[in-house]
Amino acid sequence: MKLDSQLEKISAFSRLELLANQIVEGFISGMHKSPFHGFSSEFAEHKVYNQGESTKSIDWKLYARTDRLYSKRYEEETNLRCHLIIDNSSSMHYPKLKDGQQFFENKIGFSVLASAVLMDLLKRQRDAVGLSVYSDNYEFYAPEKGSGRHHRMLLDKLEGLLTTPATAKDTDTTTFLHQIAQKMHRRSMIILFTDMFQPGNEDALFDALQHLKHDKHKVVLFHVIDKKTELGFDFDNAPRKFIDLESGEEVNLFAENVKEEYEKRVDAYFKKVAETCIQYQIKYVPVSVDENFEKILTTYLVEKQKFG
């Protein structure tokens, strides 16, 4: 084990954690009223105060009425359990980053940083978080836990998605969403980052999304795309070679010749995805890699409020 490589890894890991923390801090400070109050609890009952105990929980109003010291006892609310899922197939590594671009300006980088940001929120609220990563195989699984050691391990895994060289990997979202759904035995919030590019039967893919809803899980789908090129097909009219990142299939064409038909088909597919999510009561959030993280943070907070 070379020390230099380990120091480089630790340095990069720290940058990811620091960047996520800065995004959360900026979001919180920009809100009129922060929803972050730490670990919440509900009042359960009074008990007689015993000398030597902390005075923080003394009910001074009751003391004023009874002239006796009582402490408040609290019943902790159940922690939220959240499972993050990241599609790590080859199409998620689009667009290829140019010199000077930030790591989060492609789909996998955006999903990694968004996940780290959500993990920072979960950590602050003492919620349990788990992580699944898939492509053409089930690459990683960690159940929901809330410890600091677990949090650091997940951040290290997220960092690995950025530093591991991209290889040609198909997408098998259908198979692995079913497998992940079978692992979720306790009611959780499930957050999925994917571009929804899945060859084959669309209905099978939508069935897999529905499976995530079993046992009353709360599901949020962040549909991650590069809006400019993948939705708008915004290319100049020079002859170009387009290469499928997963199959390697190539096609030569002028973008203007297919732009209208391409946009029509993509728009129809995205609408079907959105309508299916409405049908299954899945929160559908389309996001582009050129957007900031406010939409993701706001969506999380709203869905967390609905979780109970």
Side-chain angles (χ1 to χ4, degrees):
M1 183 181 294
K2 294 183 179 180
L3 181 59
D4 289 346
S5 65
Q6 291 303 304
L7 288 175
E8 183 180 349
K9 183 177 180 181
I10 291 169
S11 175
F13 164 83
S14 299
R15 286 198 296 272
L16 177 60
E17 185 175 29
L18 179 61
L19 183 54
N21 181 266
Q22 288 174 341
I23 291 170
V24 172
E25 289 287 354
F27 178 74
I28 294 172
S29 64
M31 300 179 70
H32 295 295
K33 183 178 180 181
S34 171
F36 305 96
H37 301 295
F39 189 57
S40 57
S41 55
E42 293 184 347
F43 173 73
E45 61 182 355
H46 287 101
K47 71 180 185 69
V48 176
Y49 172 77
N50 295 314
Q51 190 172 357
E53 293 179 348
S54 172
T55 59
K56 290 182 179 180
S57 59
I58 291 178
D59 189 335
W60 295 108
K61 290 183 179 179
L62 186 60
Y63 172 74
R65 294 198 305 270
T66 65
D67 202 29
R68 297 187 64 180
L69 291 175
Y70 291 93
S71 295
K72 293 179 179 179
R73 292 186 62 184
Y74 292 89
E75 187 175 278
E76 293 180 343
E77 293 179 355
T78 303
N79 282 17
L80 172 70
R81 301 172 63 84
C82 181
H83 197 84
L84 302 171
I85 307 172
I86 297 179
D87 174 359
N88 189 36
S89 58
S90 295
S91 64
M92 287 290 287
H93 290 259
Y94 177 85
K96 184 177 180 180
L97 296 176
K98 301 174 183 177
D99 291 341
Q101 281 191 289
Q102 298 283 356
F103 74 88
F104 50 83
E105 293 184 66
N106 69 4
K107 291 186 285 186
I108 190 64
F110 187 95
S111 300
V112 162
L113 183 55
S115 296
V117 165
L118 290 172
M119 281 172 51
D120 190 280
L121 284 175
L122 292 159
K123 180 182 178 183
R124 290 167 186 248
Q125 299 181 312
R126 301 186 188 178
D127 293 327
V129 60
L131 175 67
S132 285
V133 180
Y134 72 88
S135 55
D136 56 355
N137 66 88
Y138 200 158
E139 297 181 10
F140 180 80
Y141 168 75
E144 302 77 38
K145 295 181 182 179
S147 69
R149 181 180 179 182
H150 182 74
H151 181 84
R152 289 189 295 273
M153 184 266 288
L154 296 188
L155 279 173
D156 189 49
K157 178 59 185 179
L158 291 176
E159 173 66 31
L161 299 182
L162 302 176
T163 57
T164 303
T167 57
K169 294 186 288 188
D170 294 334
T171 308
D172 196 355
T173 301
T174 301
T175 296
F176 299 116
L177 288 190
H178 281 302
Q179 290 188 17
I180 293 167
Q182 290 168 359
K183 289 178 177 290
M184 307 301 292
H185 300 302
R186 295 176 60 183
R187 185 168 179 260
S188 305
M189 178 181 288
I190 300 173
I191 298 178
L192 170 62
F193 292 92
T194 179
D195 55 15
M196 291 296 288
F197 292 144
Q198 167 71 55
N201 189 339
E202 290 179 3
D203 292 336
L205 174 59
F206 296 145
D207 287 343
L209 281 175
Q210 185 183 28
H211 193 183
L212 288 178
K213 286 287 294 180
H214 86 297
D215 287 343
K216 298 181 180 180
H217 297 308
K218 188 79 176 177
V219 180
V220 182
L221 167 60
F222 287 110
H223 190 174
V224 187
I225 60 167
D226 179 46
K227 188 175 181 180
K228 180 179 178 181
T229 58
E230 292 185 318
L231 188 58
F233 208 61
D234 187 4
F235 296 97
D236 59 39
N237 201 33
R240 288 181 175 272
K241 177 189 290 185
F242 292 87
I243 304 173
D244 188 312
L245 291 173
E246 298 184 4
S247 69
E249 183 180 354
E250 300 180 3
V251 58
N252 296 301
L253 51 79
F254 287 90
E256 284 294 324
N257 293 346
V258 299
K259 181 178 174 67
E260 184 177 349
E261 181 64 21
Y262 175 91
E263 289 181 327
K264 180 180 178 182
R265 293 193 182 192
V266 169
D267 184 62
Y269 175 64
F270 279 24
K271 283 183 178 178
K272 185 174 181 180
V273 172
E275 290 168 358
T276 301
C277 286
I278 292 173
Q279 177 185 348
Y280 295 156
Q281 295 183 313
I282 293 171
K283 179 65 177 181
Y284 176 70
V285 188
V287 294
S288 182
V289 294
D290 59 354
E291 296 176 344
N292 61 34
F293 296 89
E294 185 170 337
K295 179 187 289 187
I296 290 174
L297 292 171
T298 304
T299 300
Y300 163 77
L301 292 175
V302 170
E303 295 306 305
K304 180 181 170 71
Q305 292 242 326
K306 297 177 182 177
F307 185 78

